[in-house]
Amino acid sequence: MEGSPWPQGKSLVSQDSGGGDMTSPETPDSTPGPGDSGKRRKKRERRKKRVTWQQAGDLAKKAVVERKVRKNRALLWLVLLLVLPVSLALLANHYKHKLPLDFLYGRDPPLSHASPHGQAVREQTTQLGLHGESSASDGSSPDVLRMLVPDVFAESFQRVYRDKLAGDVRRLYNKTVEFDVVPFDKWKTTTQEDMKKRSMGRYHVYSILATWIPTFAEQNCIKDLTGLLSNLDSSYWEDVMPQVRENVATYNNKIFALPVDADVFFMMYNSRILGEHNLRPPETWHEWIEVAKKLHGKDLNGDGEADVGACVVTLKNGYSASYFFAFAAPFIQTYGTDEGIFFDPNTMSPKFAAPEYSAILDLYKVVVDHSTHSVIGETSWQEASDLFLQEKCALTFNFHGALKPILTSLKTKEDAEKFRLKMMPGTKVVLSVDGKSLEECDDHRCPFADENQINRAPFYGEGGVAIAFNPHMTPENLEAATSFAISLTGPEDSLPLLTKAGNLLDPYRYSHFKNLGDPESEESKVYGADGWYHQTLLNWQKDYMSAFEHPNGVKDLAIYGKVQYTGESALESVLIDLFEGKENAEESRARLEKAWSILTSRYGNHIQQKMYQKSLGLPTSSLEVPVVILGVVLVSVGTVAFLAFKNRQLSHSLSKEMKNSRTISKWTKLVEDNPASRLMNVLALVREGKQVDTKLVDALMISLMKKSGDFWSPDWNNNEFAKVKENNEDFANYLQFNLMNNFIDNLGTSGRSNSSRGSKKFSRTITDSPKSEQNLRDILKSASVKMKVTASKDIRKHYKVNDKVFSKSLNDIDKCTSSGNRGIHFIQSSEVRTLEDIGCWNIDIFGVSEVSNGHPILTVVHNIFKQDLEVGEFTTSTLLRDLEVNEEKFFRYVQVIESQMHPENVYHNAVHVADVVHNMLWLLTKGEMAARLGLSKFEVFTSLFACMIHDFDHPGVSNDFLVRTSDKRAVLYNNQSVNENWHVAQAFGLLNEHHEEISWDESWTEDCLFKFRKLCVSMVLATDMSRHFELLGKFRNRVVSSPNAEEAFNPLDAKDRETVLVMAIKACDIATQGKEWKLARKWAMLVQEEFYSQGDKEKDLALTVSPLCDRENVDIVKSQIGFIDAVLFPLYEPLSKVLPNAKCVLTQLERSKSMYKKEMAARSSSQKSFKSSSI
């Protein structure tokens, strides 16, 4: 067959029995004969891969682009999965500083005296064992969880566990908890030694001081609980006082422990002694000094002996450094908790470096000189407490835990009134920013000072006690341990831990103070059982809570080696030398500055600075990366960016080539689908030695005979061509008359060539002819041009604004409400039109605006409160009277609100507000929200009022626009919910101006006004769409997690009712597409036109046009479909489960979506017709 005259070429169409199925053409090339060797065949295949653009044409170009894309993506994945992780690992390893634990923590010196946290007792000996396995040395069970606790807390922990939690832990987890008790002075050492053993440590759970958390967290010695507690009910944390959350539970914005105690310093005073000497409790430290001086040396308790002004702890190794910092704190910290009192967080320079710090040391020496130290020398915390109870001094200050024995010893009302607790004194003079002087407090220098310009700074010495977990325990033990600890420290079971006088654990939750006003409450009884006198509780409660809510609270030092900084080797020894007159204040200051600087340098200035910044909640400074590592990381990141960019370019090119290939292939198949081509393919198979069905050859010959001389003509009757002609007749005609001529021309050329070259010529695609290619491209281009609409529509014509609407400004409100101004008058109730369809979901609010002469808000609100509409168990007509609202003044107020709804805003105007108010009415009545939630009259009125003011004085642009243009509103509200804050603030500002004619709330109490405004603010701020998914997520989770969605929210819980009202106003605010189609389409046009108006302004200001605001690019139909799918359905679906009657809105949303799709399809059809006519 090698001498055969038949053309040599690959098949262009498939060879099935029908012969008419079209497939994609392949790149032409010579086909080897059956006698060719395998080596020659491989050589030809390699040559095929090197084919040039001119030889391969567009299809080969697509294949080359595909290979480039595959190669580029493979390289990108290689960099992402190998090079970049290695680079980041090098970087992480550079900052993985793990110093020896003994060096990092510092060793506590042996205590020669009792500390304020407990007495020394015999240490229990323990031996090590693996977690979850029995230890051969101690016989421990695999079901035992071990917790390390100091002696002073152990009894309370054991009591609560035994009485309340043991059964549940055993039943749920098959575990028991054993408490290993150590003396207080061995507590930290034992904890450190166990943590150093990592996974071989004995304990699953540790009780630790809050100041230890940063050290342990940095070394991965305690478990990061942030992710583990992500599903914990928010009430657990909301109940914890704010400063306790910051001081005891978190470090570097992560949760590492569960709080079980809160430490803070308080002062106590003897009211009898102060009263007898005509003295008041000191508010500042200067007043303290004056009181102490006047009382020092006098007989205060009538025993005939000279007493002292104050009892102050000065004992070395007795936490005397904490007492000093409790005194110094208000002189140093004025700007809030993150300022700190120990170092400058930017330079890590000790605060002792300030020259005027010596004045603070001098003042403290005066305090000590008029205290017990001047009589008995170094004073322990027990001695200070005992002497205060013996009335040997009038003043003292201490840890609250150390004062608790005093408080619980007061058994009579006389004693409770005599020994009083009070927040620590403050100061009116503070250290200047440059540290060179003490300056007077003012609003700028002391922003948290009280009305008397006294700066207070409660000192949270040691932070408090927390429960932390060994990070190396098994998941099963971790789950059991955290569940136990959450219950132990939670609102239900933690109170008995804290009430016992000797354990020194202090309240840290708001629930610990619940119902203390009632002596018969369960909480009061728990305190009473442990020796608390009820009057003492009442006197103690307010100051205690205030200390932990203070915005200027001071965190204790929490960095590596804290004991070296504050212990006997540094601060304590300096203080003793100062008290004994061995050196003056300036010498002490310089000595402290030097000692602290040396210690910081020893541990590493950079390491200590990072840790100090994290402990204060500050962002850490920029990384100092070695040049080599930085280079590797930058090159890796740059390579990833380049490859990603290149991949995007190649993908775009590939998409373009594939599109061209499909188009060319499609038309080529149409042209080449003829009997002659099919027969040639069969003959090519014969030449290759393959078996051919003789019936197929006969069928082809018959087809050729029927075609007569026109056997090269394509089959124009096939289905594919019929589709083309149906959609684009002009283009089909082009194929039939133009391309066919070009095809036959090429065929004629092939007939004049030799068989081999003729075959290749025959196999070329129709794009070989430059002229034909250009014509085809022109037609394709003209056929795919998008229809251009040059005539812009003025959508505002769909919204008619009545020119008689109010146009007063807030600046002229006095004139508008003045009785002497007869030019402007308020509309009387008798003039307001009655609406027959009030309460109907699909009320034509635009029609209401028309018939009310441009007063839709007044008309809707007036009809609500004048008609008998059933809302739960009452009617709306009695609401104003029952709530003691002055009706005449209220409706005047409504008109003033309406006057500031700018009609020039196409969407955010009075019509929109009236629609939202009416939507809320429907939810309350027909939606049965009021009945299902048992809403009070007050809540119903508040919800309608919030809707009425939710867009008050709207500027017609978004929050983002105001922020980007630095509008005064954005500046005023710090870029946070700018419009929403403005609406609610301005609306209530009208009431606060006390305009007689609109003061409808004149008979309301302060408490009622406070609750009213609080709920209004919560609802209006929720309409900020930037908070949409946050609020919706919480709401959906609540609904999904409830077995019965209709009962997901408790009608008896005010917060639950508020949550539903918040979602209700959101649903009302964006409900327009849930209305009947006529209204929904009109609202869509209006809101889009307002978006376009903002986009026009942004273009004028050369700003980036906001999403959905570009008049030239945004498709209103597509944007509304997207809004319905992404926002409205996810909102109304859970809401309709809580309020089943709201399901009708979901039905209407489906209707609106289908109408938009029909509109899109119709538009697409018209565009196709336009394209056809333009070819």
Side-chain angles (χ1 to χ4, degrees):
M1 298 277 304
E2 288 188 2
S4 173
W6 301 112
Q8 300 177 19
K10 284 197 174 181
S11 171
L12 294 178
V13 294
S14 62
Q15 287 83 33
D16 62 10
S17 59
D21 292 344
M22 294 179 290
T23 60
S24 298
E26 301 179 13
T27 304
D29 197 9
S30 298
T31 304
D36 286 351
S37 67
K39 185 175 182 181
R40 293 178 61 188
R41 219 171 13 248
K42 292 180 181 179
K43 186 175 181 180
R44 288 192 185 96
E45 289 175 356
R46 288 195 297 270
R47 192 187 309 123
K48 284 167 58 180
K49 295 181 180 179
R50 297 195 295 270
V51 69
T52 63
W53 297 117
Q54 292 77 14
Q55 292 172 323
D58 286 318
L59 297 181
K61 183 178 178 181
K62 178 178 80 93
V64 172
V65 174
E66 285 178 335
R67 285 197 297 272
K68 284 189 174 183
V69 169
R70 287 194 296 269
K71 182 178 179 181
N72 185 80
R73 286 179 178 171
L75 189 58
L76 176 60
W77 280 111
L78 176 66
V79 174
L80 283 175
L81 298 178
L82 183 61
V83 180
L84 188 59
V86 170
S87 303
L88 296 178
L90 288 173
L91 183 63
N93 186 67
H94 174 70
Y95 285 98
K96 191 177 181 182
H97 54 275
K98 286 196 172 183
L99 302 176
L101 291 177
D102 293 343
F103 174 73
L104 294 174
Y105 304 153
R107 287 286 188 179
D108 285 325
L111 300 182
S112 56
H113 303 275
S115 75
H117 286 280
Q119 306 286 341
V121 298
R122 183 179 63 86
E123 178 181 5
Q124 296 182 2
T125 59
T126 59
Q127 295 185 9
L128 298 178
L130 287 171
H131 291 308
E133 297 183 9
S134 297
S135 171
S137 58
D138 62 6
S140 61
S141 167
D143 294 328
V144 171
L145 294 175
R146 294 196 177 277
M147 181 174 180
L148 179 65
V149 295
D151 48 43
V152 291
F153 311 144
E155 182 181 350
S156 295
F157 283 172
Q158 292 167 339
R159 178 176 64 168
V160 174
Y161 170 71
R162 180 182 62 250
D163 296 345
K164 295 191 174 188
L165 304 177
D168 288 339
V169 174
R170 182 71 178 180
R171 177 174 54 85
L172 295 175
Y173 298 102
N174 192 28
K175 307 284 184 185
T176 58
V177 180
E178 291 187 3
F179 300 90
D180 282 10
V181 183
V182 296
F184 184 85
D185 57 351
K186 301 293 184 182
W187 178 23
K188 185 175 182 181
T189 303
T190 306
T191 303
Q192 289 176 206
E193 291 176 350
D194 190 73
M195 287 183 175
K196 284 194 294 184
K197 296 176 177 62
R198 305 291 177 178
S199 61
M200 298 296 293
R202 175 181 178 82
Y203 302 108
H204 303 84
V205 187
Y206 304 98
S207 59
I208 60 175
L209 283 178
T211 51
W212 304 350
I213 290 177
T215 297
F216 294 155
E218 289 289 336
Q219 297 304 308
N220 193 31
C221 292
I222 55 177
K223 178 72 175 176
D224 181 354
L225 305 175
T226 309
L228 192 65
L229 302 180
S230 59
N231 294 326
L232 186 62
D233 193 288
S234 60
S235 62
Y236 179 92
W237 292 113
E238 291 171 356
D239 188 41
V240 178
M241 287 181 285
Q243 289 289 5
V244 179
R245 289 199 300 267
E246 292 297 319
N247 293 332
V248 186
T250 61
Y251 168 68
N252 196 25
N253 297 318
K254 296 179 181 179
I255 302 172
F256 284 96
L258 299 176
V260 73
D261 169 51
D263 274 338
V264 68
F265 272 82
F266 283 100
M267 66 167 284
M268 289 193 73
Y269 64 91
N270 188 312
S271 61
R272 179 194 65 79
I273 296 175
L274 296 183
E276 289 177 357
H277 293 82
N278 296 320
L279 298 172
R280 297 182 305 170
E283 297 292 336
T284 69
W285 283 109
H286 289 85
E287 292 179 7
W288 173 293
I289 292 172
E290 292 177 6
V291 170
K293 285 182 176 180
K294 291 181 179 179
L295 299 178
H296 196 68
K298 294 183 178 180
D299 180 7
L300 303 179
N301 59 358
D303 62 358
E305 297 179 359
D307 298 316
V308 296
C311 297
V312 178
V313 177
T314 57
L315 177 68
K316 283 193 295 187
N317 296 330
Y319 288 80
S320 62
S322 294
Y323 294 86
F324 168 71
F325 286 123
F327 164 83
F331 293 94
I332 304 170
Q333 180 173 295
T334 62
Y335 292 122
T337 302
D338 58 2
E339 181 181 2
I341 66 169
F342 302 102
F343 295 93
D344 181 343
N346 297 315
T347 63
M348 213 51 189
S349 172
K351 294 284 187 177
F352 296 122
E356 196 62 19
Y357 205 106
S358 56
I360 300 174
L361 291 167
D362 259 333
L363 284 173
Y364 192 58
K365 185 178 185 306
V366 176
V367 170
V368 172
D369 286 344
H370 296 85
S371 72
T372 48
H373 186 85
S374 65
V375 178
I376 64 174
E378 294 184 27
T379 307
S380 68
W381 72 273
Q382 296 98 331
E383 291 171 330
S385 297
D386 291 343
L387 292 171
F388 179 74
L389 270 178
Q390 296 169 22
E391 300 187 76
K392 301 290 288 183
C393 59
L395 305 171
T396 190
F397 68 96
N398 212 324
F399 288 95
H400 180 270
L403 295 175
K404 195 159 62 170
I406 299 177
L407 295 170
T408 54
S409 69
L410 308 178
K411 304 300 183 183
T412 66
K413 184 175 182 180
E414 179 183 358
D415 285 343
E417 293 299 330
K418 182 193 301 182
F419 299 102
R420 297 297 298 269
L421 189 80
K422 184 177 175 61
M423 192 182 292
M424 289 284 282
T427 177
K428 291 185 176 182
V429 292
V430 296
L431 196 63
S432 62
V433 176
D434 59 9
K436 295 181 179 180
S437 63
L438 292 177
E439 58 187 11
E440 294 286 337
C441 267
D442 56 32
D443 292 340
H444 172 71
R445 187 68 185 88
C446 305
F448 299 112
D450 61 18
E451 63 276 6
N452 297 318
Q453 293 298 330
I454 297 175
N455 181 62
R456 299 183 192 275
F459 180 61
Y460 309 119
E462 299 298 336
V465 179
I467 294 179
F469 305 90
N470 190 321
H472 306 288
M473 73 173 94
T474 62
E476 295 80 6
N477 284 340
L478 179 61
E479 180 182 358
T482 52
S483 298
F484 158 69
I486 288 170
S487 297
L488 182 71
T489 62
E492 299 293 332
D493 303 311
S494 57
L495 183 57
L497 290 171
L498 318 167
T499 54
K500 190 174 178 60
N503 69 2
L504 306 180
L505 295 176
D506 301 319
Y508 57 94
R509 292 184 171 277
Y510 287 110
S511 57
H512 295 158
F513 304 94
K514 185 179 178 182
N515 300 325
L516 293 188
D518 179 9
E520 299 302 320
S521 68
E522 292 298 324
E523 292 78 8
S524 296
K525 290 179 180 179
V526 174
Y527 280 98
D530 282 327
W532 289 77
Y533 182 63
H534 188 255
Q535 186 61 43
T536 303
L537 286 176
L538 299 180
N539 295 342
W540 158 78
Q541 176 182 0
K542 181 179 179 181
D543 281 318
Y544 189 91
M545 294 177 65
S546 299
F548 285 103
E549 293 175 336
H550 204 288
N552 198 38
V554 179
K555 292 184 177 182
D556 202 351
L557 185 63
I559 59 176
Y560 291 140
K562 175 180 182 288
V563 67
Q564 267 77 18
Y565 286 93
T566 61
E568 185 178 1
S569 60
L571 182 58
E572 288 188 347
S573 61
V574 173
L575 290 177
I576 291 298
D577 289 345
L578 175 66
F579 300 156
E580 295 177 357
K582 296 181 180 179
E583 58 187 22
N584 59 35
E586 176 55 29
E587 292 170 338
S588 297
R589 183 204 65 78
R591 184 176 158 194
L592 286 170
E593 178 188 0
K594 181 179 179 180
W596 279 37
S597 297
I598 292 173
L599 282 169
T600 304
S601 177
R602 173 193 171 196
Y603 287 110
N605 188 83
H606 180 72
I607 293 174
Q608 296 290 68
Q609 182 182 22
K610 295 279 188 185
M611 200 167 179
Y612 186 61
Q613 289 171 337
K614 290 177 182 179
S615 70
L616 294 177
L618 295 171
T620 55
S621 59
S622 58
L623 295 174
E624 297 176 6
V625 188
V627 176
V628 175
I629 297 179
L630 179 62
V632 173
V633 173
L634 290 180
V635 169
S636 301
V637 173
T639 303
V640 170
F642 171 75
L643 291 175
F645 175 73
K646 190 67 177 176
N647 182 71
R648 183 177 179 183
Q649 281 188 321
L650 290 172
S651 298
H652 178 72
S653 299
L654 177 60
S655 175
K656 183 178 179 181
E657 293 301 327
M658 290 182 68
K659 183 177 180 182
N660 291 339
S661 174
R662 285 193 298 268
T663 303
I664 294 170
S665 177
K666 178 179 179 180
W667 307 135
T668 302
K669 285 185 290 183
L670 283 174
V671 173
E672 294 184 347
D673 186 17
N674 55 72
S677 295
R678 292 179 220 156
L679 181 58
M680 291 184 69
N681 291 327
V682 173
L683 295 176
L685 292 175
V686 173
R687 184 181 183 280
E688 294 175 5
K690 297 181 180 179
Q691 294 293 327
V692 178
D693 188 352
T694 56
K695 293 181 179 179
L696 174 60
V697 177
D698 292 341
L700 286 173
M701 295 301 295
I702 294 172
S703 178
L704 285 172
M705 291 172 62
K706 289 182 178 180
K707 281 276 188 178
S708 185
D710 195 19
F711 51 81
W712 287 107
S713 175
D715 184 5
W716 301 113
N717 295 320
N718 66 65
N719 293 334
E720 202 65 37
F721 185 78
K723 293 178 182 178
V724 174
K725 194 166 185 178
E726 180 183 350
N727 294 332
N728 196 333
E729 185 174 359
D730 291 335
F731 191 56
N733 292 335
Y734 170 84
L735 283 176
Q736 190 168 357
F737 296 106
N738 193 339
L739 290 184
M740 188 58 202
N741 291 335
N742 183 64
F743 176 78
I744 294 176
D745 289 342
N746 290 333
L747 180 63
T749 305
S750 68
R752 293 188 294 270
S753 306
N754 60 49
S755 62
S756 176
R757 293 181 59 84
S759 175
K760 294 182 181 180
K761 197 74 174 180
F762 168 75
S763 301
R764 289 185 306 176
T765 66
I766 60 176
T767 57
D768 286 349
S769 169
K771 180 178 179 181
S772 173
E773 180 182 3
Q774 185 61 41
N775 291 338
L776 177 60
R777 288 180 178 174
D778 290 342
I779 289 184
L780 288 173
K781 182 177 180 182
S782 63
S784 63
V785 170
K786 294 183 178 179
M787 181 171 55
K788 297 180 180 179
V789 181
T790 56
S792 61
K793 296 181 179 180
D794 183 9
I795 302 184
R796 294 174 187 254
K797 66 184 180 182
H798 296 280
Y799 175 65
K800 298 180 180 179
V801 181
N802 195 298
D803 57 2
K804 295 183 180 181
V805 72
F806 278 142
S807 59
K808 300 186 289 294
S809 71
L810 281 176
N811 295 330
D812 297 325
I813 189 62
D814 288 320
K815 298 178 182 178
C816 297
T817 58
S818 173
S819 59
N821 188 346
R822 302 301 179 186
I824 299 177
H825 69 278
F826 289 106
I827 297 174
Q828 302 302 314
S829 291
S830 58
E831 301 175 39
V832 180
R833 182 160 182 159
T834 300
L835 300 177
E836 299 297 332
D837 53 351
I838 188 76
C840 173
W841 176 253
N842 286 314
I843 187 175
D844 185 1
I845 204 69
F846 299 97
V848 173
S849 180
E850 290 286 344
V851 300
S852 64
N853 199 25
H855 296 289
I857 300 178
L858 174 62
T859 303
V860 169
V861 173
H862 188 275
N863 275 269
I864 290 174
F865 293 117
K866 287 298 185 180
Q867 294 194 37
D868 293 325
L869 306 175
E870 292 186 1
V871 182
E873 298 179 357
F874 47 86
T875 59
T876 57
S877 60
T878 63
L879 271 179
L880 299 183
R881 182 177 68 254
D882 293 345
L883 295 174
E884 297 182 358
V885 174
N886 187 309
E887 290 188 15
E888 182 180 4
K889 294 183 178 182
F890 176 75
F891 289 122
R892 289 177 181 171
Y893 177 85
V894 174
Q895 294 176 63
V896 173
I897 292 293
E898 190 167 49
S899 72
Q900 301 307 307
M901 296 309 303
H902 307 298
E904 63 268 24
N905 293 343
V906 181
Y907 179 80
H908 285 105
N909 50 41
V911 181
H912 165 67
V913 171
D915 186 57
V916 175
V917 174
H918 191 268
N919 293 341
M920 179 62 76
L921 172 67
W922 186 89
L923 282 179
L924 291 167
T925 55
K926 305 287 182 61
E928 298 184 353
M929 181 169 66
R932 287 179 176 274
L933 292 179
L935 297 180
S936 65
K937 297 179 180 180
F938 175 81
E939 288 168 322
V940 169
F941 174 78
T942 305
S943 62
L944 292 167
F945 184 91
C947 291
M948 183 181 72
I949 67 169
H950 88 280
D951 273 337
F952 178 53
D953 194 29
H954 199 289
V957 292
S958 67
N959 289 338
D960 181 65
F961 180 91
L962 297 175
V963 171
R964 288 193 292 154
T965 55
S966 298
D967 187 88
K968 64 178 182 180
R969 302 185 186 190
V971 175
L972 178 62
Y973 296 111
N974 298 317
N975 299 346
Q976 303 298 311
S977 301
V978 179
N979 274 323
E980 292 72 22
N981 272 304
W982 177 267
H983 303 325
V984 70
Q986 293 299 102
F988 277 95
L990 291 174
L991 294 176
N992 292 339
E993 291 293 331
H994 303 296
H995 297 292
E996 183 61 25
E997 295 204 51
I998 61 173
S999 298
W1000 56 264
D1001 59 339
E1002 54 193 1
S1003 63
W1004 281 18
T1005 64
E1006 288 296 325
D1007 182 63
C1008 185
L1009 283 171
F1010 174 82
K1011 293 178 180 178
F1012 173 72
R1013 184 170 182 271
K1014 182 176 182 293
L1015 182 54
C1016 279
V1017 169
S1018 178
M1019 292 180 68
V1020 175
L1021 293 188
T1023 61
D1024 181 1
M1025 286 302 292
S1026 68
R1027 299 183 58 204
H1028 175 79
F1029 292 102
E1030 169 201 347
L1031 296 172
L1032 178 59
K1034 294 179 180 178
F1035 185 80
R1036 284 175 64 91
N1037 289 340
R1038 184 72 177 274
V1039 174
V1040 170
S1041 63
S1042 176
N1044 185 352
E1046 295 181 26
E1047 299 176 0
F1049 297 89
N1050 182 6
L1052 301 179
D1053 189 330
K1055 287 194 70 67
D1056 277 8
R1057 297 197 301 272
E1058 179 180 339
T1059 299
V1060 179
L1061 286 174
V1062 162
M1063 298 311 297
I1065 193 173
K1066 289 181 63 62
C1068 294
D1069 190 28
I1070 55 177
T1072 56
Q1073 297 309 302
K1075 302 298 181 73
E1076 63 181 12
W1077 173 243
K1078 177 181 67 175
L1079 295 173
R1081 191 64 180 86
K1082 188 170 184 177
W1083 279 119
M1085 295 169 65
L1086 294 176
V1087 70
Q1088 193 61 54
E1089 180 56 24
E1090 187 164 294
F1091 288 169
Y1092 287 156
S1093 177
Q1094 175 175 321
D1096 295 342
K1097 294 175 184 177
E1098 289 169 332
K1099 291 177 181 178
D1100 292 341
L1101 296 171
L1103 297 174
T1104 301
V1105 179
S1106 299
L1108 302 180
C1109 294
D1110 193 336
R1111 192 182 296 275
E1112 298 176 1
N1113 296 320
V1114 175
D1115 187 331
I1116 182 175
V1117 175
K1118 291 182 179 179
S1119 68
Q1120 287 302 315
I1121 292 175
F1123 186 73
I1124 291 172
D1125 283 336
V1127 178
L1128 294 180
F1129 276 136
L1131 171 60
Y1132 272 94
E1133 283 173 355
L1135 185 63
S1136 64
K1137 293 179 181 178
V1138 178
L1139 306 174
N1141 286 9
K1143 291 180 180 177
C1144 63
V1145 182
L1146 285 173
T1147 303
Q1148 189 56 55
L1149 287 174
E1150 289 285 1
R1151 165 73 175 164
S1152 296
K1153 180 180 177 181
S1154 66
M1155 292 300 291
Y1156 281 121
K1157 286 186 175 181
K1158 288 181 181 179
E1159 184 176 339
M1160 184 184 296
R1163 184 178 62 187
S1164 176
S1165 178
S1166 64
Q1167 288 177 348
K1168 289 180 180 179
S1169 300
F1170 175 80
K1171 293 176 183 178
S1172 299
S1173 62
S1174 63
I1175 293 180

